[in-house]
Amino acid sequence: MDSREHIPVLLGESMQALGVRADGVYVDATFGRGGHARAILERLGSGGRLLAVDRDPDAVAAGAALAAAEPRLTLRRARFGELSRLVHSAGLSGRVNGLLADLGVSSPQLDSPERGFAFSAEGPLDMRMDPSAGTSAADWLAAAAERDIARVLKDYGEERFAKRIARAVCAARGESPITTTGQLAALCERAVPTREPGKHPATRTFQALRLQVNAELDELRALLAGACDWLAAGGRLVVISFHSLEDRIVKRFIRDESRGASLPKGLPITDDQVPRRLRPIGGAVRPGDDEVRANPRARSAVLRAAERLA
């Protein structure tokens, strides 16, 4: 198998949660290399429709041949925050039968040293999902204050030694710019005094910088904020996340939308009259042992699903 081949995570579970209808309208918010999108298309009839987006130009380019050959598929380059505009302009608001978002970094991104997502191979310290937009990780580290670096590493990476790493970054950049993944990984190895079993000392730092550079948590909140407006009654929201910060946002969103608006006490309204937009479908779903053995990158995946109420 090509090391850059991307294996879609929780594929069967996500299709079951979506409950794809042959004549349905679906949105794949993270096309990647098209694994989930192809599975949706296999279940759609001739009258079905799939809108797929990705902010990574390489992902969109890789899917161009499929989009050209598949009239049911519309593939666009866009961030989560731009999806509301795309859904509205396509006339799909309130008509979407299922929305799927796989929040993981794809294998081609991780395995391409020139993208700078991984510390396992030397490459430019970039980490941008869209290399043509925004600030690279190297440029952010070069300009950020020590306290801001420490905050990002602590909040987004849940790094115990955030202050030590931030101090080391600022000391090192005073000597020469930190421009490669290898430089940053080596710095983390020196700064982190203890090792987590099975984890490189740079793991949490790289995760935190990726979230910061791509504003991933803000983009996820933007996606969820629009989801209920796009979904038709009975439409499904399915999100696959890969670390606790993402999963917490998704879990709280589904919980809040299933509880409904908080109303003042004393109103003459019963609990079943409180307006609610979602109902949860089951609990957290995680990959089984067989999937993790076949694809170790799936081990931290968590799927949550909900259904749009009328």
Side-chain angles (χ1 to χ4, degrees), residues 25 46 55 86 106 111 115 125 137 180:
V25 175
S46 59
R55 68 193 295 187
L86 290 177
S106 71
D111 295 336
R115 300 298 301 272
L125 189 60
T180 71

Side-chain angles (χ1 to χ4, degrees), residues 39-63:
I40 293 171
L41 289 168
E42 287 172 2
R43 291 161 173 79
L44 286 178
S46 59
R49 185 171 179 185
L50 174 61
L51 170 64
V53 302
D54 204 295
R55 68 193 295 187
D56 186 337
D58 289 348
V60 175

Side-chain angles (χ1 to χ4, degrees), residues 116 124-128 130-145 148-149 169 173 177-181 183-184 209 212-213:
L125 189 60
D126 194 316
M127 298 194 192
R128 288 173 293 174
D130 180 352
S132 69
T135 302
S136 71
D139 288 343
W140 188 83
L141 281 178
D148 292 330
I149 297 172
V169 165
R173 75 186 184 188
I178 302 169
T179 59
T180 71
T181 55
Q183 285 177 289
L184 181 59
L209 289 177
Q212 169 65 27
V213 164

Side-chain angles (χ1 to χ4, degrees), residues 14-297:
S14 60
M15 292 303 107
Q16 181 178 1
L18 277 176
V20 179
R21 294 170 29 182
D23 61 347
V25 175
Y26 293 87
V27 174
D28 180 354
T30 46
F31 180 79
R33 289 304 182 269
H36 289 106
R38 286 181 173 86
I40 293 171
L41 289 168
E42 287 172 2
R43 291 161 173 79
L44 286 178
S46 59
R49 185 171 179 185
L50 174 61
L51 170 64
V53 302
D54 204 295
R55 68 193 295 187
D56 186 337
D58 289 348
V60 175
L66 175 63
E70 177 50 78
R72 298 170 300 172
L73 170 64
T74 301
L75 177 60
R76 295 284 183 262
R77 179 175 162 188
R79 298 177 292 103
F80 289 166
E82 299 172 296
L83 255 173
S84 285
R85 174 181 57 80
L86 290 177
V87 170
H88 179 73
S89 63
L92 300 180
S93 293
R95 296 177 51 207
V96 174
N97 301 113
L99 166 63
L100 173 65
D102 172 359
L103 305 179
V105 181
S106 71
S107 292
Q109 289 170 327
L110 288 170
D111 295 336
S112 301
E114 65 272 15
R115 300 298 301 272
F117 284 104
F119 45 77
S120 55
E122 182 77 3
L125 189 60
D126 194 316
M127 298 194 192
R128 288 173 293 174
M129 296 289 186
D130 180 352
S132 69
T135 302
S136 71
D139 288 343
W140 188 83
L141 281 178
E146 181 178 324
R147 66 179 179 278
D148 292 330
I149 297 172
R151 175 185 54 79
V152 165
L153 299 189
K154 180 176 182 295
D155 291 351
Y156 292 170
E158 299 173 303
E159 173 57 70
R160 289 171 54 205
F161 303 104
K163 290 183 179 180
R164 291 177 66 117
I165 296 170
R167 194 177 310 124
V169 165
C170 292
R173 75 186 184 188
E175 301 293 327
S176 62
I178 302 169
T179 59
T180 71
T181 55
Q183 285 177 289
L184 181 59
L187 182 151
C188 292
E189 285 191 277
R190 294 191 297 269
V192 174
T194 61
R195 300 291 187 266
E196 293 180 78
K199 275 193 176 181
H200 190 283
T203 299
R204 294 181 180 277
T205 293
F206 271 65
Q207 171 188 295
L209 289 177
R210 195 198 84 219
L211 291 174
Q212 169 65 27
V213 164
N214 296 292
E216 290 182 43
L217 300 185
D218 289 339
E219 290 291 330
L220 173 58
R221 293 185 183 98
L223 174 71
L224 296 174
C228 290
D229 292 330
W230 311 334
L231 290 171
R236 300 287 182 85
L237 168 69
V238 180
V239 183
I240 303 171
S241 57
F242 287 80
H243 58 75
S244 60
L245 297 176
E246 293 172 336
D247 183 51
R248 197 175 304 142
I249 291 171
V250 176
K251 182 180 179 180
R252 287 177 177 172
F253 175 78
I254 293 175
R255 179 200 65 193
D256 291 348
E257 293 295 342
S258 63
R259 287 179 176 174
S262 179
L263 301 175
K265 292 182 178 179
L267 288 181
I269 187 171
T270 59
D271 184 67
D272 62 335
Q273 293 174 310
V274 175
R276 296 175 172 85
R277 300 203 293 177
L278 293 176
R279 74 169 183 89
I281 301 174
V285 177
R286 292 176 171 82
D289 293 341
D290 289 345
E291 179 170 2
V292 173
R293 277 193 293 269
N295 180 18
R297 287 175 176 166

